[in-house]
Amino acid sequence: TIDEPILQLKVLETPTFAYSAIIVTVVNSALAVGAVVLPLYLQNVLGLTAFETGILMTPGAVSTIFLSPISGMLFDRFGPRVIAIVGLSGLTASFAALAFIGQSTPVWYLVTFYVIQSAGLTLANMPVNTWGLNSLDNDKIAHGNAIANTGRQVGGAMSTALLVTIMTMVTASQAQAGPIVSQVAGICTVYGISGVIAAIALLIAILKVKKTSKE
């Protein structure tokens, strides 16, 4: 309501940008699973060292580095819809696959779906964000960018706290099964919840992401 607010929330009155902001926030919330939960599984369940865990997670970072410029080129050629749906489909599928890991899941299985998760997140993030910003008037793009960046930070922070809390609660409720089994149960639950959230973002993308007419 003030003349120069820190965040100009009125840009959310543009439906296209609002849907974009929701998807971007959800997608970046998924980072918590890869950055927090997977290392816990690799170290506490499989017994790997921190160094080995870092090495195994490197392919996910590499896929992000290579796909970031490619996603931009694909956006220019095909628009946001196809790329967003493909990326969110990969993200949802990877979460679903990792929701069924056990005490001795092969490392190659974990790395493969972590790479798919990272690739899906990269493909969906930039095109959807650009699609949303393109729907705004030029004088509102800076405000839209600020809201999108804030959504990423807040979504990541809240999802980390929420998912780790859920994982801890499930692990504690399964304590009688042993420390390894109970922790696997908590991690699988978190991956399942993340898969449902990613599926909701995918549904929004299918229904709402269209090619904008603005150059």
Side-chain angles (χ1 to χ4, degrees), residues 142-155:
H143 298 292
N145 221 359
I147 289 179
N149 289 333
T150 302
R152 291 189 187 96
Q153 300 299 323
V154 174

Side-chain angles (χ1 to χ4, degrees), residues 93-177:
S94 65
F95 284 144
L98 292 170
F100 296 98
I101 57 179
Q103 299 180 60
S104 56
T105 301
V107 170
W108 66 263
Y109 181 94
L110 299 167
V111 173
T112 298
F113 283 104
Y114 178 63
V115 170
I116 294 174
Q117 173 190 321
S118 300
L121 191 149
T122 303
L123 286 175
N125 195 14
M126 188 283 294
V128 171
N129 188 50
T130 304
W131 167 71
L133 292 175
N134 281 349
S135 68
L136 299 175
D137 295 332
N138 289 338
D139 60 335
K140 295 181 179 178
I141 287 179
H143 298 292
N145 221 359
I147 289 179
N149 289 333
T150 302
R152 291 189 187 96
Q153 300 299 323
V154 174
M158 292 182 63
S159 64
T160 299
L162 179 61
L163 293 176
V164 171
T165 299
I166 293 174
M167 182 181 66
T168 303
M169 292 173 60
V170 173
T171 299
S173 68
Q174 300 291 325
Q176 69 278 3

